[in-house]
């Protein structure tokens, strides 16, 4: 049974599930470190997934689709900033409103533009081709894991150390940390915390848009209503568990991605679909309880 679950194709599938969670979580980390409570990652991802299909279909290029996803994610970040930062709306209420807006808007546009309901699939949707790395591809297991993935996977991997450096050394990254930890000190230095938080929301929207593009034009070349399927919420949990630190966040995203991939393979062994759909969220609860216990024990 274990041989059927953890075969080479399992290693090849893990990055496809890790990438959208990791990209969205990195976007959430920007907001977390800047002091913006943003749980609208699900809505950001969903609109990005739809925009990626829209751009790839009409422009005939997955790169245009990814660019459209980034623009759409940034637009949703600006909507969040308008009602939370500028108008002082409660972040939880604004987040829920953005998630509902994304679900309704993508469903409406799917019918208005493509005249279909439920899902849109067409040979004209060009997705990202797998990027084969010659030297790595020949290594057993590791070759399946790291080679033959979409370019967004490698971008997500590169973004982890880049964001670690960004928060540790870059001026804007240090300002984002100050906006979250001590906004009064940042303001005393002549920098507006609101402006820094706005930039964090823009960066969050861009990364979540790419996460949506991974779902729709890298994993599969189609769009399905609500295709983010709770991955944005899993990314929120990863951000909260890691407190916005990129390296622990990467490890948590890998764990959640592996469980998400495993849930599809367990379904092929005859397990009920309801149980397999529950597995990623069950893993989230287990990690939450385990980390809470560990922190409480360390404090004691």
């Amino acid at each position: 049974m274990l041989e059927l679950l953890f075969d080479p194709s399992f290693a090849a599938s893990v990055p496809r599930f890790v990438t959208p969670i990791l990209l969205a979580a990195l976007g959430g980390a920007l907001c977390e470190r800047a002091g913006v409570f943003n749980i609208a990652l699900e809505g950001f991802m969903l609109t990005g997934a739809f925009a990626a299909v829209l751009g790839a279909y009409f422009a005939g290029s997955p790169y245009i689709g990814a660019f459209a996803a980034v623009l759409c994610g940034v637009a949703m970040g600006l909507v969040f900033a308008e009602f939370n930062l500028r108008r002082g709306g409660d972040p939880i209420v604004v987040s829920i409103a953005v998630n509902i807006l994304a679900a309704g808007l993508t469903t409406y546009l799917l019918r208005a533009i493509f005249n279909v309901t439920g899902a849109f699939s067409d040979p004209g949707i060009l997705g990202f081709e797998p990027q084969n790395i010659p030297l790595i591809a020949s290594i057993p297991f590791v070759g399946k894991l790291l080679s033959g993935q979409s370019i967004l996977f490698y971008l997500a991997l590169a973004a982890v150390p880049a964001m670690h450096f960004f928060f540790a050394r870059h001026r804007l990254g240090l300002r984002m940390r100050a906006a979250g930890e001590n906004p009064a000190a940042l303001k005393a230095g002549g920098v507006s915390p609101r402006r820094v938080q706005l930039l964090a929301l823009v960066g969050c929207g861009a990364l979540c848009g790419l996460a949506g593009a991974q779902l729709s034009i890298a994993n599969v070349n189609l769009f399905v209503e609500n295709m983010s399927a709770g991955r944005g919420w899993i990314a929120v949990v990863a951000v909260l568990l890691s407190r916005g630190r990129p390296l622990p966040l990467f490890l948590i995203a890998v764990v959640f991605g592996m469980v998400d991939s495993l849930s599809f393979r367990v379904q092929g062994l005859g397990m009920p679909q309801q149980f397999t759909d529950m597995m990623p969220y069950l893993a989230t609860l287990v990690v939450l309880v385990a980390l809470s216990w560990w922190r409480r024990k360390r404090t004691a």
Side-chain angles (χ1 to χ4, degrees):
M1 179 177 177
L2 291 178
E3 293 179 355
L4 294 175
L5 292 177
F6 300 102
D7 58 3
S9 61
F10 171 73
S13 68
V14 167
R16 293 197 292 270
F17 290 91
V18 170
T19 303
I21 297 175
L22 179 58
L23 284 171
L26 288 172
L30 291 173
C31 292
E32 172 71 14
R33 300 305 288 269
V36 179
F37 187 74
N38 180 7
I39 56 174
L41 307 184
E42 180 83 0
F44 288 12
M45 287 179 65
L46 185 59
T47 52
F50 179 81
V53 167
L54 193 67
Y57 177 73
F58 285 107
S61 169
Y63 295 96
I64 299 297
F67 182 68
V70 168
L71 291 181
C72 196
V74 168
M76 296 299 285
L78 293 176
V79 170
F80 190 102
E82 170 67 20
F83 290 99
N84 176 239
L85 299 182
R86 188 166 180 265
R87 301 188 181 274
D90 184 87
I92 296 178
V93 175
V94 174
S95 296
I96 294 173
V98 168
N99 287 332
I100 296 173
L101 172 66
L105 184 64
T106 53
T107 299
Y108 168 74
L109 292 177
L110 186 65
R111 298 175 183 178
I113 298 175
F114 300 112
N115 197 29
V116 296
T117 59
F120 173 68
S121 176
D122 191 275
I125 303 174
L126 299 180
F128 286 105
E129 295 293 333
Q131 305 293 316
N132 293 310
I133 306 175
L135 295 178
I136 297 179
S138 59
I139 303 175
F141 190 82
V142 176
K144 292 288 186 179
L145 187 66
L146 296 180
S147 180
Q149 305 298 333
S150 78
I151 193 171
L152 296 180
F153 168 67
Y154 305 107
L155 178 64
L157 288 183
V160 174
M163 189 168 291
H164 177 76
F165 174 83
F166 176 73
F167 285 135
R169 300 292 182 182
H170 197 275
R171 179 181 298 178
L172 180 57
L174 294 173
R175 286 178 176 178
M176 283 188 183
R177 289 173 57 185
E181 298 169 11
N182 195 344
L186 186 63
K187 193 172 183 179
V191 180
S192 170
R194 292 286 180 88
R195 184 172 297 176
V196 173
Q197 291 173 338
L198 173 62
L199 292 176
L201 279 167
V202 169
C204 176
L207 287 169
C208 288
L210 288 176
Q214 171 69 25
L215 288 176
S216 60
I217 60 173
N219 289 355
V220 291
N221 294 340
L222 57 88
F223 177 80
V224 181
E225 292 181 10
N226 298 316
M227 74 178 304
S228 50
R231 290 178 179 88
W233 294 106
I234 295 176
V236 168
V237 173
V239 172
L240 296 177
L241 289 176
S242 63
R243 296 176 179 174
R245 293 173 295 168
L247 299 181
L249 185 150
F250 169 72
L251 297 177
I252 294 170
V254 168
V255 171
F256 288 155
M258 289 178 65
V259 175
D260 200 5
S261 175
L262 193 62
S263 66
F264 280 86
R265 302 181 68 80
V266 169
Q267 196 175 51
L269 298 178
M271 298 294 291
Q273 181 182 355
Q274 292 79 4
F275 175 78
T276 59
D277 290 344
M278 182 180 65
M279 284 178 62
Y281 309 103
L282 184 61
T284 303
L285 291 175
V286 170
V287 172
L288 277 171
V289 172
L291 189 61
S292 176
W293 173 82
W294 178 76
R295 285 176 177 170
R296 196 173 290 181
K297 183 179 178 181
R298 188 181 64 172
T299 302

